[in-house]
Amino acid sequence: MQKQKISFELTVFDSFEALSASDQELMTAAVTARENAYAPYSKFQVGAAVLMNNGAVVIGSNQENASYPSGLCAERVAVFQAGALYPGEKMKVVAITAASKNYTVDRAAAPCGNCRQSISEYEVKQGSPIRLLLMGEVGRVLQCDSIADLLPLAFNGTFLE
Ligand code: THU
């Protein structure tokens, strides 16, 4: 019997202003997407912006539905659209930001389990890491170097060969 420890390195930026100019630009696209989210039920608005290898930025926001499970998270709207628009292109960075109509979100919102799985699919497909930037409305910004960090022991297509 042996025990293994799985850990990862998180980069913490004190604020949006501490990001590089190009990461600020991507996060700003996510903020704009967030402001256009359709979240009349939860009042929790999420925006995501995917930077592709060719420089294109693909955005998504959460799209809710009166039949709650029919809605979709911002991250999946964004990466599915990126996959549809640029099937041969790698995803480099996904910036994610969350806000609420009920309170000020002052901490980074990390993607839900289903979104981690969906982003992981593209990371495995392309064979290179997808960096994540996570932010609330204000406060610190967290960076993960790979979605694999947030989804250890992930299930993927290699099991289906
Ligand atoms: N939501 C996202 O868009 N991304 C996440 O990773 C977590 C949750 C959305 C789904 C729903 O519209 C609202 O936030 C509340 O769960």
Side-chain angles (χ1 to χ4, degrees):
M1 198 272 279
Q2 56 163 333
K3 295 208 176 190
Q4 288 184 7
K5 187 167 274 180
I6 299 175
S7 63
F8 76 98
E9 207 162 76
L10 191 67
T11 308
V12 181
F13 296 93
D14 284 343
S15 67
F16 169 86
E17 286 74 26
L19 296 175
S20 69
S22 56
D23 282 351
Q24 284 192 23
E25 201 177 311
L26 189 68
M27 187 58 84
T28 299
V31 169
T32 302
R34 185 189 82 196
E35 288 166 354
N36 292 322
Y38 178 60
Y41 305 106
S42 72
K43 318 282 187 208
F44 192 75
Q45 305 199 220
V46 185
V50 185
L51 176 64
M52 309 300 298
N53 216 28
N54 63 4
V57 172
V58 181
I59 60 99
S61 59
N62 53 330
Q63 300 296 313
E64 296 189 346
N65 193 283
S67 174
Y68 292 0
S70 299
L72 199 62
C73 292
E75 296 90 327
R76 274 176 286 166
V77 171
V79 295
F80 291 165
Q81 174 72 343
L85 283 174
Y86 303 107
E89 211 65 48
K90 293 186 178 187
M91 302 182 194
K92 285 170 70 174
V93 192
V94 183
I96 301 162
T97 175
S100 172
K101 296 283 185 203
N102 297 329
Y103 72 101
T104 301
V105 179
D106 62 358
R107 60 199 165 110
C112 79
N114 280 312
C115 288
R116 293 178 198 206
Q117 183 69 30
S118 298
I119 299 168
S120 171
E121 180 72 24
Y122 296 101
E123 186 169 279
V124 172
K125 173 184 175 234
Q126 70 187 35
S128 63
I130 299 176
R131 184 163 62 91
L132 302 176
L133 291 168
L134 314 174
M135 188 179 84
E137 288 168 76
V138 294
R140 305 189 312 174
V141 182
L142 305 184
Q143 174 179 278
C144 304
D145 297 330
S146 162
I147 188 66
D149 291 341
L150 294 186
L151 196 64
L153 304 180
F155 182 78
N156 62 51
T158 63
F159 292 101
L160 304 178
E161 285 161 3

